[in-house]
Amino acid sequence: MGSAVAQCPHGITSHSTGNLGQKKLGYSSRCSKFPCQLDFARFGLLHQGSSAASSSDHSTEFGRRINAVPDMDDMFWDKVPTPLLDMVENPIHLKNLSVQELKELASEIRSELSCIMSEKPNSLKASLAVVELTIAIHHVFHAPVDKILWDVGEQTYAHKILTGRRALMRMMRQKNGLSSFTSRFESEYDSFGTGHGCNSVSAGLGMAIARDIKGKRDRVVTVISNATTLAGQVYEAMSNAGYLDSNMIVILNDSRRSLHPKIEQEPKTSITALSSTLIKIQSSKSFRKFREAAKGITKRIGRGMHELAAKFDEYARGMIGPQGSTLFEELGLYYIGPVDGHNLEDLICVLQQVSSLDSMGPVLIHVITEDNHQDAECNEKIEADNPQEVSSSVQTRTYSDCLVDSLLMEAEKHKDIVLVHAGMEMEPSFQVLQETFADRFFDVGMAEQHAVTFSAGLSRGGLRPFCIIPSTFLQRAYDQVVHDVDRQKIPVRFVITSAGLVGNSGPVYCGAFDVTFMSCLPNMIVMAPSDEDELVDMVATAAQIDDRPVCFRYPRGAIVRTDHFMHPGIPLEIGKGRVLVEGKEVALLGYGAMVQNCLKAQALLSRLGIEVTVADARFCKPLDTELLTLLCENHKFLITVEEGSIGGFASHVAQFIALNGHLDGTVKVMNIRNFHFW
């Protein structure tokens, strides 16, 4: 094994015994991965070559989030020994490993992931599929000097392990723990924050152009996925990259998954010994130089000969590559592939060849991986750790379940109702809609912008579209909401799911802004249910509206009541709220799910002899001005309660109260916003 492995990373040594001893780990080593005393401000978050001065600065920036140390006893759960992985503190320790050792390391990483991430099997599959690809990237390139960008957070777990965050993986999605996405505030190895996908090529191209302007020579590598290729921004970025012709490497991780069953049923692209040889020739520097020289010769001969040679080249490369491979060539990226994403020899060979190409422009490497590519013990571990997964999910009834039931009832009454779904993944509840209304359900994946305008087109064609998008993904389609729907008063019914705080999913999935950016539009009706019954009524309300757009939001999680009785939806009067509890002096005006918090507060205060009024606003736009006037005239304190950002429901209430002179009286207005910016 190379010298990089024989050294103890960062000079950390162990003086621990008992549960931290080598006997527990099942292998012999001079160094222990988890000593009793660690400086977690430095642990895995600083580059080994940083100076002392810069280390202090980096520890402030990159150590801000990682400020909680897991219990040491919890670190050593029963697991397969991982001697190679235990010696890898950062990517520099991969440089001197042989291919065989890298294969063993891949197996150990899979074992590690199966132990610490078994409670999240869906996320685990994505990361297991890219273990070899992640190892190959860090073996060939020199992060953080070379910039490595990822589009999908669920594929970055092996990357996090190899970049000094292994000890904190069990704290992922916990307070003060790791993010499930890449984060610039978490590690210098995360060159750019991963959000909802499709941003890495654009950001990577920007970094490549900045590098060229500054005269630097670092490499830029971006990893995209099948889901990413559904979003238009990727093709915009690739087209611009082809035009600017700056050096960068785009890796398409093709897991052979598609939204379209017919495509998945087609014959898969096979990777043979011949194709493996051809991709090595494609990626070689000599072949690229020969190709560029041939282009120059044909240009000198004449335009006709150059065009003929270009067509022949495109035809030949189309014969070698899989279906659709010439698309990337048309966009200006040199296509290499397909490459077996689980063959470390081929991956390393191709990446080394491509990394040595100077002034050759953007390159796309098509890598084929399998989501179910994992060791047998990983499968057994996942199944053993999740015996109650299916049964527990069946017992809990969510808002999405109620939405599906209400949409089924409305679709039976209105045969022109169609459903458009957009976002990263589809909730299991919506699969019932997809199966029941196969001809009226359209899942467009991450193409949220298309989903909105597509829904507008369906509406103009005489249908009643319900556009289902999670709050955080609707942000990406806001331009289409403004210009293609609201400005034209086209009746699209937006169902905003996962609104408000979303627990351990973190800021990327936090749906805090939809009330603010939807309620400022002139023609949009904005409402939110306080419970599942109102959700059903709002579905019926939206189905009736045919002269303007409407939206309603609901939170992630379980419904308020435990009984499963579903009543037929009753359309609500637009812009009318309701009083739930009558009290004195103090009025709580809740919006959406926060009405339940108001009722809980009222119950607690009533035990203290304090009688408060609780009102359910139902609508943020248009506001129930009569209800607001009544609350202001009969109470000394009016407290609005919402879950969202500044500029939302409370701002609309405050504006009405100020403009109508209610602040000139005795009422005092306060706001409780159940949301804190990170």
Side-chain angles (χ1 to χ4, degrees), residues 278-335:
L278 289 174
I279 61 168
K280 293 175 183 178
I281 296 174
Q282 280 181 294
S283 60
S284 65
K285 191 171 185 177
S286 57
F287 179 81
R288 289 290 301 277
K289 285 187 174 181
F290 171 77
R291 188 170 180 259
E292 294 300 318
K295 285 183 179 180
I297 293 173
T298 56
K299 282 182 179 179
R300 294 190 186 97
I301 294 175
R303 180 177 178 181
M305 178 60 69
H306 177 68
E307 291 178 352
L308 180 63
K311 289 181 179 179
F312 177 78
D313 177 65
E314 180 180 343
Y315 176 77
R317 289 173 58 75
M319 291 290 290
I320 296 173
Q323 183 179 2
S325 59
T326 55
L327 168 64
F328 303 109
E329 291 277 346
E330 293 292 338
L331 291 172
L333 281 73
Y334 180 75
Y335 175 88

Side-chain angles (χ1 to χ4, degrees), residues 369-665:
T369 60
E370 299 289 344
D371 279 350
N372 59 353
H373 186 88
Q374 47 188 287
D375 299 331
E377 58 267 22
C378 292
N379 284 319
E380 294 174 1
K381 178 67 178 174
I382 294 172
E383 292 174 2
D385 288 349
N386 295 275
Q388 303 297 327
E389 181 183 356
V390 176
S391 61
S392 61
S393 62
V394 173
Q395 293 173 359
T396 303
R397 185 168 173 80
T398 66
Y399 276 93
S400 291
D401 295 326
C402 293
L403 173 71
V404 168
D405 291 342
S406 59
L407 284 174
L408 289 172
M409 288 189 291
E410 292 299 324
E412 289 296 332
K413 292 188 291 185
H414 304 284
K415 301 301 181 182
D416 54 355
I417 285 181
V418 290
L419 308 165
V420 179
H421 178 273
M424 288 281 286
E425 294 181 357
M426 187 165 57
E427 295 182 43
S429 304
F430 298 136
Q431 293 176 4
V432 177
L433 287 173
Q434 190 176 35
E435 295 169 0
T436 306
F437 300 106
D439 297 333
R440 291 195 271 167
F441 188 96
F442 306 94
D443 183 19
V444 301
M446 291 175 61
E448 294 90 357
Q449 295 169 304
H450 164 65
V452 172
T453 307
F454 175 51
S455 298
L458 291 170
S459 180
R460 291 295 300 130
L463 299 176
R464 303 189 192 204
F466 279 78
C467 187
I468 307 171
I469 305 182
S471 173
T472 186
F473 294 106
L474 184 60
Q475 297 165 186
R476 306 204 311 186
Y478 189 58
D479 180 67
Q480 284 68 30
V481 173
V482 174
H483 292 285
D484 298 341
V485 176
D486 187 82
R487 188 174 60 84
Q488 302 184 54
K489 298 185 70 174
I490 296 177
V492 173
R493 300 141 188 92
F494 292 99
V495 182
I496 305 174
T497 69
S498 298
L501 300 177
V502 289
N504 60 9
S505 293
V508 170
Y509 283 108
C510 185
F513 310 109
D514 58 271
V515 178
T516 299
F517 66 68
M518 295 297 272
S519 61
C520 70
L521 300 178
N523 300 308
M524 185 73 65
I525 296 174
V526 183
M527 52 187 178
S530 60
D531 56 28
E532 59 272 22
D533 289 336
E534 284 207 331
L535 174 61
V536 174
D537 291 340
M538 288 184 181
V539 171
T541 305
Q544 295 282 346
I545 298 173
D546 59 3
D547 60 344
R548 50 189 158 166
V550 58
C551 70
F552 57 92
R553 70 189 320 240
Y554 67 82
R556 179 188 296 182
I559 58 178
V560 176
R561 297 199 315 271
T562 56
D563 62 83
H564 293 178
F565 175 74
M566 282 286 299
H567 72 276
I570 303 173
L572 303 174
E573 183 180 353
I574 302 300
K576 288 297 179 181
R578 59 175 180 166
V579 175
L580 300 177
V581 180
E582 292 188 5
K584 302 176 182 178
E585 296 190 342
V586 178
L588 299 176
L589 178 59
Y591 182 67
M594 290 299 100
V595 172
Q596 299 302 320
N597 289 19
C598 295
L599 291 172
K600 292 176 183 178
Q602 184 272 334
L604 292 174
L605 291 172
S606 65
R607 298 175 187 175
L608 302 176
I610 303 174
E611 298 180 8
V612 301
T613 298
V614 177
D616 176 7
R618 283 180 171 168
F619 292 85
C620 177
K621 182 176 174 291
L623 280 172
D624 188 342
T625 55
E626 293 183 6
L627 175 62
L628 281 175
T629 301
L630 183 67
L631 295 176
C632 290
E633 291 177 350
N634 294 284
H635 299 84
K636 293 182 179 179
F637 298 92
L638 173 61
I639 304 174
T640 60
V641 185
E642 64 178 317
E643 186 178 42
S645 64
I646 295 174
F649 174 68
S651 298
H652 285 259
V653 172
Q655 182 184 33
F656 169 78
I657 292 176
L659 293 178
N660 287 272
H662 293 295
L663 290 179
D664 299 335

Side-chain angles (χ1 to χ4, degrees), residues 142-307:
H142 302 277
V145 177
D146 291 335
K147 305 300 186 293
I148 300 173
L149 295 84
W150 300 80
D151 245 9
V152 182
E154 285 77 8
Q155 295 181 359
T156 63
Y157 298 161
H159 163 77
K160 288 176 180 283
I161 288 177
L162 292 175
T163 52
R165 288 167 276 183
R166 180 190 180 191
L168 297 171
M169 287 296 291
R170 296 199 95 189
M171 297 185 64
M172 186 175 291
R173 296 188 174 186
Q174 297 181 21
K175 183 178 181 181
N176 298 326
L178 291 181
S179 167
S180 57
F181 299 86
T182 55
S183 171
R184 293 175 52 248
F185 307 106
E186 186 176 289
S187 172
E188 62 179 341
Y189 291 98
D190 294 350
S191 301
F192 199 81
T194 302
H196 302 144
C198 84
N199 64 353
S200 66
V201 180
S202 299
L205 178 60
M207 293 179 182
I209 296 298
R211 171 204 62 201
D212 297 342
I213 292 175
K214 291 187 175 183
K216 297 182 179 180
R217 294 179 59 83
D218 52 278
R219 279 78 58 91
V220 177
V221 182
T222 71
V223 184
I224 63 177
S225 68
N226 299 83
T228 300
T229 58
L230 296 172
Q233 183 181 351
V234 170
Y235 300 102
E236 295 173 9
M238 286 184 181
S239 178
N240 193 219
Y243 172 76
L244 295 174
D245 203 35
S246 183
N247 285 351
M248 68 177 297
I249 300 167
V250 179
I251 300 175
L252 170 58
N253 171 36
D254 183 1
S255 61
R256 295 174 170 176
R257 294 298 180 95
S258 171
L259 291 175
H260 310 289
K262 292 181 180 179
I263 295 178
E264 290 191 351
Q265 293 170 4
E266 294 178 357
K268 305 299 183 183
T269 302
S270 60
I271 301 176
T272 62
L274 176 61
S275 63
S276 178
T277 303
L278 289 174
I279 61 168
K280 293 175 183 178
I281 296 174
Q282 280 181 294
S283 60
S284 65
K285 191 171 185 177
S286 57
F287 179 81
R288 289 290 301 277
K289 285 187 174 181
F290 171 77
R291 188 170 180 259
E292 294 300 318
K295 285 183 179 180
I297 293 173
T298 56
K299 282 182 179 179
R300 294 190 186 97
I301 294 175
R303 180 177 178 181
M305 178 60 69
H306 177 68
E307 291 178 352

Side-chain angles (χ1 to χ4, degrees), residues 339-351:
V339 185
D340 185 352
H342 304 294
N343 187 320
L344 272 167
E345 291 95 334
D346 286 357
L347 285 170
I348 292 173
C349 176
V350 171
L351 290 177

